[in-house]
């Protein structure tokens, strides 16, 4: 049963199947580290933008000549920082601070020319150049705890490796801290989700950003995207839950497979083909450098992981997600 809100009121529709492709864009993660709103985050909501504001367009006046703190280490943060840098060239007094929770920027700086998506490689390289130019104050290992008022401006307080640290004062904050799925839509349904990523369960181990950075995800379709609830599928970026690595290309093949399954063409639904552009950088979680599979070292062009993956793929099963040459990040 679907509850559909329209301009004419609420309607209830019955459906043979439901495909949830509602995305994650409307439910951004909070600024506070650990997924909990920072103290003061609600009080100063009018000075916080989530995601990527239109810095060079309709939001220009909010950022020109002001100081902004950008929190986050993904592509949204990179876009916002580069826009602020462009704005600063024509708007004197524009300044920005970049605060990231981690200490390793390998993933955001990306694989450069080795990235099979040239624009993604360029974005990482540009933000690296910006950070190294000294035009932005980069603070790593910073976990935001609180926002406090200070002479009409804001101080952002967080835990750093050196103890409690205060950044600012700033005028505005951009929380580029990712998105999470809105699961309230489906609370009455029997869903099978990864307990941490909130992705569909089968994908969780394959897309965990702490484990995988290569950009490769094994082909998957209607079987992995279904749930114990009959006729219910999660597709698109919502199928990845909180993982930030989803690409449209994945979604097209997901939807094709689910549509074929619903049309009764099981052969077409099962024939899932997906080759994603690799990022050109494969990071390895700390302490896993000696392990063989998914994040293990790459002493040669292939390793145990790649062989296991190839075998799994040949057998029509999902492998561990890191196919091809891997290099351990220092
Ligand atoms: C800043 C940014 C840049 C990106 N750039 C790229 C890129 O260059 N290439 C790429 O491949 N991917 C990119 N991505 C990833 C990108 O989000 C996805 O590839 C793509 O938009 C996901 O499509 P989707 O249909 O799953 O979700 P969305 O595009 O988010 O679409 C979800 C839709 O569902 C609607 N909706 C939500 N709730 C409901 C409801 N209850 N009822 C009805 N409708 C609802 C929403 O309004 C929205 O229209 C980017 C993501 C971000 C955040």
């Amino acid at each position: 049963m679907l509850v559909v809100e329209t301009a004419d009121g609420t309607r209830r529709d019955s459906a043979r199947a439901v495909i949830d492709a509602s995305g994650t864009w409307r439910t951004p993660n909070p600024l506070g580290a650990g997924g909990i709103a920072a103290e003061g985050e609600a009080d100063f909501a009018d000075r916080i933008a989530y995601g990527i504001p239109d810095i060079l367009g309709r939001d220009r006046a909010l950022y020109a000549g002001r100081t902004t703190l950008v929190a986050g280490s993904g592509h949204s943060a990179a876009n916002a920082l580069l826009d602020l840098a462009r704005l600063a060239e024509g708007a004197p007094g524009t300044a920005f601070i970049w605060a990231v929770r981690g200490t390793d920027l390998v993933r955001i700086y990306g694989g450069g020319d080795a990235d099979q998506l040239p624009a993604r490689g360029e974005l990482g390289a540009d933000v690296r150049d910006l950070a190294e130019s000294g035009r932005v104050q980069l603070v790593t290992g910073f976990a935001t705890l609180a926002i406090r008022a200070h002479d009409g401006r804001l101080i952002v307080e967080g835990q750093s490796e050196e103890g409690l640290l205060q950044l600012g004062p700033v005028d505005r904050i951009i929380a580029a801290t990712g998105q999470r799925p809105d699961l309230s839509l489906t609370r009455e349904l029997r869903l099978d989700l990864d307990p941490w990523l909130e992705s569909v369960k089968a994908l969780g181990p394959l897309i965990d950003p702490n484990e995988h950075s290569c950009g490769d995800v094994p082909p998957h379709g209607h079987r992995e995207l279904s749930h114990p609830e009959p006729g219910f599928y999660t597709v698109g970026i919502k199928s990845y839950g909180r993982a930030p690595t989803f690409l449209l290309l994945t979604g097209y093949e997901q939807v094709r497979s689910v549509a074929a399954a619903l049309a009764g063409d099981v052969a077409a639904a099962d024939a899932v083909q997906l080759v994603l552009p690799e990022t050109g950088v494969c990071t390895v979680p700390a302490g896993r450098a000696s392990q063989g599979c998914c994040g293990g070292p790459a002493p040669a062009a292939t390793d145990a992981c790649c062989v296991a993956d190839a075998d799994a793929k040949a057998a029509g099963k999902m492998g561990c997600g890191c196919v091809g040459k891997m290099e351990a990040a220092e």
Side-chain angles (χ1 to χ4, degrees):
M1 179 70 71
L2 290 163
V3 180
V4 184
E5 287 177 11
T6 71
D8 302 325
T10 303
R11 202 179 71 216
R12 285 170 192 264
D13 291 346
S14 292
R16 176 167 74 89
V18 174
I19 303 171
D20 183 358
S22 59
T24 57
W25 189 242
R26 293 180 182 182
T27 39
N29 289 328
L31 181 66
I36 297 166
E39 190 186 326
E41 189 166 343
D43 299 336
F44 300 110
D46 59 335
R47 283 184 258 178
I48 305 173
Y50 295 87
I52 313 177
D54 191 3
I55 292 163
L56 298 173
R58 62 179 178 273
D59 300 327
R60 184 185 176 93
L62 295 174
Y63 297 94
R66 301 194 174 167
T67 301
T68 301
L69 179 122
V70 178
S73 60
H75 292 118
S76 294
N79 273 298
L81 287 160
L82 292 170
D83 282 353
L84 285 168
R86 277 182 213 113
L87 181 65
E89 286 166 12
T94 305
F96 41 102
I97 302 169
W98 183 17
V100 302
R101 196 169 45 177
T103 52
D104 183 353
L105 296 172
V106 164
R107 247 186 298 207
I108 178 62
Y109 290 162
D113 291 343
D115 195 319
Q116 290 175 350
L117 273 184
R120 184 173 60 188
E122 197 180 324
L123 183 63
D126 287 352
V127 81
R128 177 202 285 263
D129 289 347
L130 178 65
E132 292 176 354
S133 74
R135 293 169 65 203
V136 56
Q137 179 192 345
L138 170 60
V139 184
T140 60
F142 183 84
T144 307
L145 297 175
I147 306 165
R148 307 195 191 285
H150 177 85
D151 290 342
R153 304 177 81 197
L154 301 173
I155 292 283
V156 181
E157 193 173 279
Q159 193 67 43
S160 76
E161 287 174 332
E162 285 79 40
L164 217 52
L165 184 66
Q166 292 193 329
L167 301 179
V170 301
D171 303 294
R172 293 196 61 82
I173 298 169
I174 297 173
T177 44
Q179 293 86 234
R180 57 180 67 184
D182 176 3
L183 300 175
S184 64
L185 290 176
T186 50
R187 189 164 286 151
E188 295 305 315
L189 305 182
R190 286 164 291 172
L191 302 192
D192 206 8
L193 301 173
D194 180 271
W196 182 64
L197 282 179
E198 298 176 333
S199 64
V200 295
K201 191 151 194 175
L203 292 184
L206 308 168
I207 58 174
D208 185 337
N210 292 316
E211 307 285 326
H212 303 281
S213 61
C214 314
D216 190 25
V217 172
H220 58 273
H222 69 111
R223 296 188 190 279
E224 293 80 12
L225 301 168
S226 63
H227 294 273
E229 189 72 39
F232 187 83
Y233 301 86
T234 310
V235 301
I237 197 166
K238 193 168 186 176
S239 70
Y240 270 41
R242 298 167 183 229
T245 45
F246 184 82
L247 291 177
L248 278 168
L249 201 57
T250 309
Y252 297 148
E253 190 59 359
Q254 288 182 340
V255 170
R256 190 202 60 73
S257 170
V258 170
L262 292 176
D265 189 346
V266 178
D270 282 339
V272 191
Q273 293 177 1
L274 182 66
V275 180
L276 290 173
E278 292 192 14
T279 59
V281 54
C282 287
T283 55
V284 178
R288 296 211 26 202
S290 62
Q291 294 179 17
C293 194
C294 269
T302 58
D303 66 2
C305 169
C306 304
V307 174
D309 250 335
D311 288 348
K313 281 189 171 181
K317 296 177 185 155
M318 297 174 93
C320 58
C322 295
V323 182
K325 183 177 178 184
M326 292 178 53
E327 287 174 4
E330 293 300 320

